[in-house]
Amino acid sequence: MSVASSSVNGGLLRRLRYRYSARLLLSELLGKRWMEPAIPFALMIGLIVWFSMVTTNYATLGNAQQLGREFAEAGFVAIAMALTVISGGIDLSVGAVFALANLAALVFFQLYQWPVGLVIVATLAIGAGIGAINGFLIGYMRTRPFLTTLVTLIVLRATVDLLGQHFSIPLAMASRTSWTWDVLGVGWIAKLPSNLAILGIVAIVGHFLLSRSRPGWHLTAIGSSRKAARHAGIRVERVLFLTYVMSGTLAAAGGLFYAARLQSSGSDTGIGWEISALTAVVLGGVSLAGGRGTVARALIGAVIVFVLVNGLVRMGFPGALSSTALGAVLLIAVGIDVKWAKNRGKAIQKIYVNPTMVELPPSPSITADGGTAFAENTRLQASEEIGLNQVQGPEDIILDRQDRLYCGTREGWVLRFSGPNFEHREVFARIGGRPLGMAFDRDDNLIVCVGGMGLYGVTPAGKIYKCTDQTQRSLLKLNDDSRLRLADDCDIAPDGTVWFSEATIRYEMHSWFLDGIEGRANGRLIAWNPKTNKTRTVIKNAVFPNGVCVAHDGRSVLFCSSWLCTIYRHWIEGPKAGQTEVFAENLPGYPDNLNRSSDGGYWLAMVGIRSPTFDLMMRHPDVRQRMIKQLPPDEWVYPGINNGCIVKFDESGRALESMWDPGGTKHATVTSMREHKGWLYIGGLENNRIGRVRLPDADPAWNGCDAYWGAKS
Amino acid sequence: MTLRMTAVVAMASAVLLAGCEAGTRSGQEAPVGTASTAQIKAPSLTGGDSSANLQKRVDQALQGKTIAWVPIALGIPLADIWTQVMRSEAEARGMKLEVRDPNWNTTAALQAVSSLIAEKPDILVVHNPNVQLYAQELARAEAAGIPVIQVNMVSNQKTTAYVGADWPKVGRLLGEEIVRSCGKGSGSSGKVAIVQGEATSAVSLEQMQAAAEVLGKDPSIKIVSNQAANWDASKAHDITATVLQQHPDLCATVGFWGVMQTGAAQAVKSAGLQGKVKVYASGSDGKLDCDNIDSGLITKFLNYNSSSQARSVIAIASFMLQTGLPPSAVRMADYSPLQWMEKGNYDPALCYDTSKPRSPAK
């Protein structure tokens, strides 16, 4: 269900237009890693379709099989090249290794009459051996890949020529055949040409190895930055060595299949294949700079090159022209590669923020003499300081049964202040991420929402454990929303279920304020059941859900929607269970954390106060869109999040009183507060302190742990 | 995420495959050797039929038929003469010549042959880069009912017809010529350099064997260099220049193709040895070869007359189409007559200039 736009003005069409934006789809599409080869993939399909239309008998099973058989060997060489390019290098010797392997396999099989198994092993070993020489020089001796493999290429080519002349006459006369050899060359595996089937297996294994395994990640990391990879403890030399061994072996596998298929020891075998392979790899979207690419992309590129050359040959283009076309394609691909790598991020940035329409009624008065419960005063200025300059950004605060004060910090720690005046500061837990909302469970474990990580727990002894970091994925969302990006605040229902908000799934901790410019329903309310360890998204499409508080009777959960300036009540028990209703709306500011008060009401922190300007901007998405496009980020109009207040509500959602710090000298941002034994403790996302003010009328014995879980002896 | 990409690729190829009909299996299934008369189903004809009827039958057999032709490369006199003559001869008979130009790229060449088989031309004419490369494909073509004519360089897989030089004979004639001028009693050093073409092509293999046999009979002949220049004139030049530095007293260099041997001849000339080192070659009836003979670059040249080879190809194609014989019913060869050419001693009609095509009237 959606609680996106509560106030309804303006045309339905206009609202729909902003709610479902094509730009949004595009920006999220561009952000996907699998979108990088989208253009090559489309080109590949386009070429195949086009040649099917202009060439006779192209789209027939027989032709597809024939093409597949001819393609497979080039596919092996392309993967070989891709591995080295992803590792930040290049292997120019692939074509020569291919040729040598072809000749070797023919000599072993035809002249030495070895059994096929031995021929395969020996041929692959030759490729691996040459790869090992390349890898040793590049990995351990740190020679330049380009020059090293260029030299290997020249040496191997000369070797192939010499050996070729020596063996050409006996090879031309030889005619040994064997069943296994024919399977390798002209056989079938599951209706696929054998070489294509094996290429497919190698590609799938290679793809997972490269993109889903530790060695593959190491390889990619080295390609991105050899230095950083070394600093990260990756054994750069060994990984590079193995990469070139793999490359040599794959190229040799190509040569082996070629030998079995054609029995041809022609001296120009493999000439120029390194260029076609390089073209294929770059065309498929493997970056020449290294660190970016997959086996699938290399193969997409290889198919394009193959289909293009094959198609031009078929259409009777003069040979020189097809070579030129291939060269031109390489040039364009390299150009696009450079431009794409450089500008993709920028392009996404330009279109990622997609403002939608938020219509708020005029804000209630906050002036000192306005007569509302929000009337400005100076009550927060009397606050006492705790941990002044010892704490960075205590977004949320909480106190335990021993009156110790906890807060999360920018460093990713949970700090604990203890002693009569909280003068003793210690790091209670180093969780990492950005600790935000907190709550104690029945067993005094501290449950913490950690931005960038998920929901975590810390035992009283300080041991950290993960509660949950994912929920079910929405089927129709491009952004993978199964992972928790920005768990914000949590509270715990009597049955132990942890209710928590995830403010947005489109932005990270460092860019959450962009969600404010967008105003879209990107957040959700999630429940984690510790007994079953199940995580369930209860409400999706909530607009920046922030503070969460289980009502005093435990039958409903209150949660704030910051950009809609509204608090909702979601029923979890009783006749209305599952329904969501408005608790309080049209607040004068952006609501943040929400907590119980001792008198049966709720404290609300407002992180910022609305301004008529921004309210107007929120009504006009186009203006914000133009602003994002045309102005640098530091000149954008953001929701005001620099001066807030604390408001108290009763159980019915009526605002009772407020506490202010005009000018923000002590509490520049107020994102949380917690009542504890007659004091109200105050935290702020950007503050350098925790504050507390005495609540003269409050129950001096009331505290959160007892209120939630009952007194403990 | 990239996993999904792979799935999409797989699906796309599945769709591609599913949308196709069943094809034929490749392999060497074509019967090899001469077919028995039972297999030949030529119509029996009476001798007294009218000329008009004959004309009609020929037209029916040839009009609109396609001859597909895959040389190693265009842009060389040999292939250009073949192509020009084949085209004009074919068109004069109402047939069409489809040319594929792989431009020396054997990978592209093989693809061209494979794809032509899929397109089912009526006749396939190939110029084999080496004895093995097309072997399977040629068998596949014949199995698909396409008669295959091989020009000048034959494959290990023999097909309907071979039209080209008798290479052992070429090797023998060149060898005998060398023995005459460099062998015992010639007063020369007896040193001979051989510049082979592509070592795996039939031309090199067969010519080399025959030449080596002849040269081996004369103990005063010493083969000081025997290298493959892969039909490349500049490679032939480099090889020969090096040989001449080591052996300035070289008696003769023999190249397996005139155009390539031009490079060797230039090396001889730049070493200042023109006239002292004899330059032999075999080749087509191209104008370039004639010019080289006239300018003294080539001492003696064995011409296998490529324009007449092209006419033979079309004649055999015409024969196959008119008789309707299955490809494997015929295993024939038409060996080209050879002619010696040397400066001031040859028939200028043997020089074919592609810029002045000798097209038949239409």
Side-chain angles (χ1 to χ4, degrees), chain A residues 397-469:
Chain A
I397 45 174
I398 196 163
L399 292 105
D400 68 6
R401 291 180 190 277
Q402 289 80 38
D403 303 330
R404 290 174 296 195
L405 177 61
Y406 298 79
C407 69
T409 70
R410 204 195 305 280
E411 296 99 324
W413 302 339
V414 176
L415 291 183
R416 179 160 74 181
F417 291 91
S418 51
N421 293 310
F422 302 104
E423 64 277 3
H424 180 62
R425 169 189 182 271
E426 62 186 317
V427 178
F428 175 59
R430 294 173 202 268
I431 304 180
R434 179 62 167 109
L436 297 170
M438 298 187 284
F440 277 111
D441 72 3
R442 193 182 296 278
D443 303 318
D444 292 334
N445 297 313
L446 182 65
I447 306 297
V448 189
C449 288
V450 186
M453 289 173 70
L455 191 67
Y456 281 72
V458 188
T459 65
K463 195 174 161 291
I464 299 163
Y465 62 95
K466 184 176 84 182
C467 299
T468 177
D469 61 0

Side-chain angles (χ1 to χ4, degrees), chain B residues 187-310:
Chain B
S188 76
S189 66
K191 289 181 178 174
V192 177
I194 299 174
V195 185
Q196 294 196 38
E198 161 72 41
T200 53
S201 81
V203 174
S204 293
L205 289 165
E206 296 175 1
Q207 204 172 169
M208 190 59 227
Q209 257 180 333
E213 205 171 296
V214 176
L215 295 177
K217 280 181 188 154
D218 190 329
S220 58
I221 299 274
K222 287 185 284 291
I223 300 175
V224 292
S225 160
N226 182 7
Q227 295 180 61
N230 299 338
W231 311 127
D232 182 351
S234 63
K235 210 164 171 186
H237 176 274
D238 295 348
I239 291 171
T240 309
T242 316
V243 169
L244 286 173
Q245 277 173 358
Q246 290 169 327
H247 307 283
D249 58 342
L250 190 75
C251 175
T253 164
V254 57
F256 286 4
W257 183 38
V259 174
M260 172 178 71
Q261 190 65 353
T262 311
Q266 291 291 356
V268 170
K269 190 181 174 187
S270 20
L273 295 168
Q274 195 173 356
K276 294 194 183 95
V277 176
K278 295 175 185 67
V279 183
Y280 297 100
S282 59
S284 64
D285 49 353
K287 189 171 177 299
L288 175 78
D289 296 299
C290 295
D291 291 348
N292 287 342
I293 295 165
D294 292 343
S295 65
L297 276 174
I298 303 273
T299 316
K300 211 163 175 186
F301 186 82
L302 198 54
N303 186 334
Y304 42 73
N305 209 330
S306 40
S307 51
S308 80
Q309 288 176 332

Side-chain angles (χ1 to χ4, degrees), chain B residues 331-354:
Chain B
R331 289 287 179 265
M332 67 169 289
D334 182 46
Y335 295 115
S336 318
L338 301 164
Q339 267 147 332
W340 278 114
M341 294 166 78
E342 55 189 318
K343 193 171 178 180
N345 186 19
Y346 67 87
D347 177 1
L350 283 172
C351 304
Y352 190 100
D353 186 350
T354 44

Side-chain angles (χ1 to χ4, degrees), chain A residues 487-625:
Chain A
D488 196 333
D489 192 22
C490 61
D491 206 3
I492 306 173
D495 66 350
T497 301
V498 180
W499 291 82
F500 64 100
S501 59
E502 187 179 24
T504 172
I505 56 164
R506 295 197 76 226
Y507 298 91
E508 309 286 346
M509 190 61 219
H510 58 80
S511 56
W512 64 272
F513 42 87
L514 292 178
D515 197 85
I517 292 178
E518 187 162 298
R520 199 168 279 279
N522 296 325
R524 49 195 177 172
L525 185 70
I526 304 170
W528 172 66
N529 186 338
K531 289 180 197 117
T532 58
N533 197 21
K534 286 257 155 59
T535 311
R536 179 169 67 92
T537 304
V538 180
I539 295 175
K540 39 184 183 181
N541 305 330
V543 180
F544 211 84
N546 203 324
V548 173
C549 182
V550 174
H552 287 274
D553 61 2
R555 288 156 61 89
S556 62
V557 176
L558 303 179
F559 70 94
C560 306
S561 167
S562 292
W563 314 134
L564 296 184
C565 304
T566 302
I567 305 172
Y568 295 96
R569 186 196 284 276
H570 178 73
W571 290 94
I572 57 175
E573 236 188 76
K576 291 196 198 167
Q579 293 181 23
T580 305
E581 57 192 34
V582 172
F583 175 78
E585 62 184 339
N586 196 23
L587 303 174
Y590 304 108
D592 203 303
N593 283 1
L594 190 64
N595 283 308
R596 292 181 189 175
S597 70
S598 58
D599 57 2
Y602 301 93
W603 295 106
L604 171 76
M606 284 215 269
V607 68
I609 298 305
R610 284 162 56 186
S611 69
T613 322
F614 197 73
D615 282 0
L616 186 64
M617 299 271 299
M618 290 306 276
R619 237 172 268 140
H620 295 282
D622 293 336
V623 176
R624 278 174 287 150
Q625 190 76 59

